[in-house]
Amino acid sequence: MKRIPFLDTHTGGEPTRLITSLHFDLGTGSVADKLSTLKKNHDDLRRTVLLEPRGSDVLVGAYLVPPADPTCEFGVIFFNNVGYLGMCGHGTIGLIASLAYLGKVQPGVIRVETPVGVVEATLHPMSLRGASDSERRSNLLIEQEVAHLPWRAVPGSGKEQERPRNDMYPNRVSVQNIPAYRHLTHVPVTVDGKTIHGDVAWGGNWFFLCHDHGLEVNMQNLEALTDFSWRVREQLTANGISGANGAEIDHVELFASTPDADSQSFVLCPGKAYDRSPCGTGTSAKLACLYGDGKLQVGQMWKQQSVVGSIFEGSIQLDGDQIIPTITGEAWVMSEGTILVDERDPFGGGIPAVR
């Protein structure tokens, strides 16, 4: 029987399944190199962890791996039901909140190496507003206990053991992403005789961002939004419209106005599942486009709402001519356990996803 421990969180409604240890060696190269090895030799684990019957299309997975960059504390590889992601904003927020719950990080700046570069995550101190006196005392004792224990070290035991779980874990995270940019502007795409326009932008993944789609962005319209976004993606491919160096545009983002934020969006992910969160890399791409259009100033906050109603806060800074987005959101631990794979199970490697 194969056993795979996991920890599930959700960030704005979008789940992340964290796998903290792998039973095989990915080598000593960069996280991008480790991803190449993973794709070539160990993709069966991705299918087992995320595909039905043990997972679902909406899940995003995260493997915690050693970083090659000496300035980083962790490395991470994100994956979904059809493959791998260069970066994942909601997943990074979920990763850091998970590590806080596991007692592996304290509030502060945490550098994480991803396949597309290094991101900086700031874990904000937890607010105890609204907590009971017993919860406050419990959290203080946990923080004192965790603070003097090195990660995985148990004094005098000679054995490795995780730090105690922190039920009152800090969960608000700001992710300073890799540079985002707009690649193409106001690209026309015709679907069913209707021509829409959108920008092609990079925020850690490739996006087609559209405003003139004419659809209502709400939960009652999910089927139509999904169908339309998928046909847009198919048309982009058919028309040869791509990201830089011919990269596939595998995310489609439809925007609408909302009274609750600066914008609301529906995001269709590569495996045809919609993003329950506002999408961290998609919001990063959006911020780059807004800045390019003169609609967002350096340091100005932008609130992006998802189709389910959750909100990310975003802003940008400049590093020379590069646009550096920062996305802030909250993640919540919701499940911890062990995936079991019986060698006799015909679906031990998952039920293949069909797009």
Side-chain angles (χ1 to χ4, degrees):
M1 184 80 72
K2 181 187 294 185
R3 291 172 167 80
I4 307 169
F6 71 90
L7 178 62
D8 284 354
T9 57
H10 79 83
T11 309
E14 183 76 355
T16 303
R17 173 162 290 175
L18 176 63
I19 308 297
T20 59
S21 62
L22 300 176
H23 63 276
F24 45 76
D25 183 19
L26 293 176
T28 58
S30 68
V31 171
D33 293 334
K34 290 178 171 67
L35 172 56
S36 296
T37 301
L38 191 67
K39 286 181 179 179
K40 181 179 179 181
N41 300 326
H42 304 288
D43 191 56
D44 57 321
L45 180 60
R46 176 189 65 80
R47 297 192 298 269
T48 294
V49 167
L50 281 198
L51 298 186
E52 295 180 1
R54 293 166 182 82
S56 71
D57 287 352
V58 69
L59 271 174
V60 171
Y63 295 134
L64 196 65
V65 299
D69 188 317
T71 70
C72 293
E73 297 177 60
F74 303 97
V76 66
I77 296 172
F78 294 108
F79 53 101
N80 60 19
N81 59 328
V82 294
Y84 298 86
L85 299 166
M87 202 350 230
C88 182
H90 96 265
T92 303
I93 294 170
L95 166 67
I96 299 302
S98 294
L99 294 173
Y101 167 75
L102 293 172
K104 295 182 179 181
V105 296
Q106 295 292 305
V109 177
I110 302 145
R111 286 174 61 85
V112 180
E113 183 181 350
T114 77
V116 295
V118 174
V119 301
E120 284 192 354
T122 299
L123 177 63
H124 299 281
M126 187 183 66
S127 170
L128 290 178
R129 183 177 58 187
S132 66
D133 288 343
S134 62
E135 288 172 330
R136 291 171 187 269
R137 286 192 296 271
S138 174
N139 184 69
L140 178 61
L141 290 172
I142 289 171
E143 286 184 347
Q144 291 172 342
E145 181 179 11
V146 167
H148 79 269
L149 283 176
W151 172 32
R152 299 183 65 84
V154 179
S157 70
K159 298 180 180 180
E160 286 191 343
Q161 180 175 317
E162 298 289 350
R163 284 175 170 178
R165 300 296 194 259
N166 182 2
D167 287 350
M168 294 292 287
Y169 60 98
N171 70 331
R172 185 170 177 81
V173 180
S174 294
V175 178
Q176 185 182 87
N177 200 0
I178 60 171
Y181 66 94
R182 178 163 54 189
H183 178 60
L184 299 172
T185 304
H186 203 62
V187 177
V189 177
T190 302
V191 176
D192 293 340
K194 176 183 178 180
T195 300
I196 62 171
H197 303 82
D199 293 347
V200 175
W202 168 259
N205 298 295
W206 282 106
F207 289 83
F208 182 80
L209 304 96
C210 174
H211 294 81
D212 61 356
H213 48 83
L215 297 174
E216 292 187 7
V217 175
N218 56 46
M219 294 292 287
Q220 292 72 40
N221 207 29
L222 288 176
E223 186 173 344
L225 290 163
T226 299
D227 179 66
F228 182 79
S229 298
W230 191 254
R231 284 184 290 149
V232 168
R233 181 180 168 185
E234 290 177 328
Q235 201 60 44
L236 290 168
T237 302
N239 292 352
I241 300 169
S242 65
N245 302 312
E248 181 182 14
I249 302 167
D250 56 5
H251 292 72
V252 174
E253 194 161 9
L254 307 180
F255 293 92
S257 60
T258 173
D260 302 319
D262 294 296
S263 174
Q264 186 174 27
S265 58
F266 171 88
V267 182
L268 192 67
C269 300
K272 211 174 183 179
Y274 74 91
D275 199 328
R276 276 69 172 167
S277 82
C279 188
T281 54
T283 301
S284 296
K286 170 72 171 178
L287 295 177
C289 294
L290 287 167
Y291 179 75
D293 291 335
K295 297 179 179 179
L296 184 73
Q297 303 303 310
V298 171
Q300 178 184 347
M301 182 182 292
W302 180 270
K303 291 188 176 182
Q304 187 64 48
Q305 186 178 49
S306 75
V307 69
V308 308
S310 54
I311 292 176
F312 283 168
E313 296 175 353
S315 63
I316 65 153
Q317 299 294 325
L318 298 182
D319 183 5
D321 59 354
Q322 292 186 320
I323 301 168
I324 310 297
T326 295
I327 306 299
T328 300
E330 294 179 322
W332 309 90
V333 171
M334 59 179 181
S335 180
E336 183 177 16
T338 303
I339 295 171
L340 301 178
V341 186
D342 190 320
E343 289 80 0
R344 301 167 298 173
D345 184 352
F347 295 112
I351 300 171
V354 178
R355 292 193 289 173

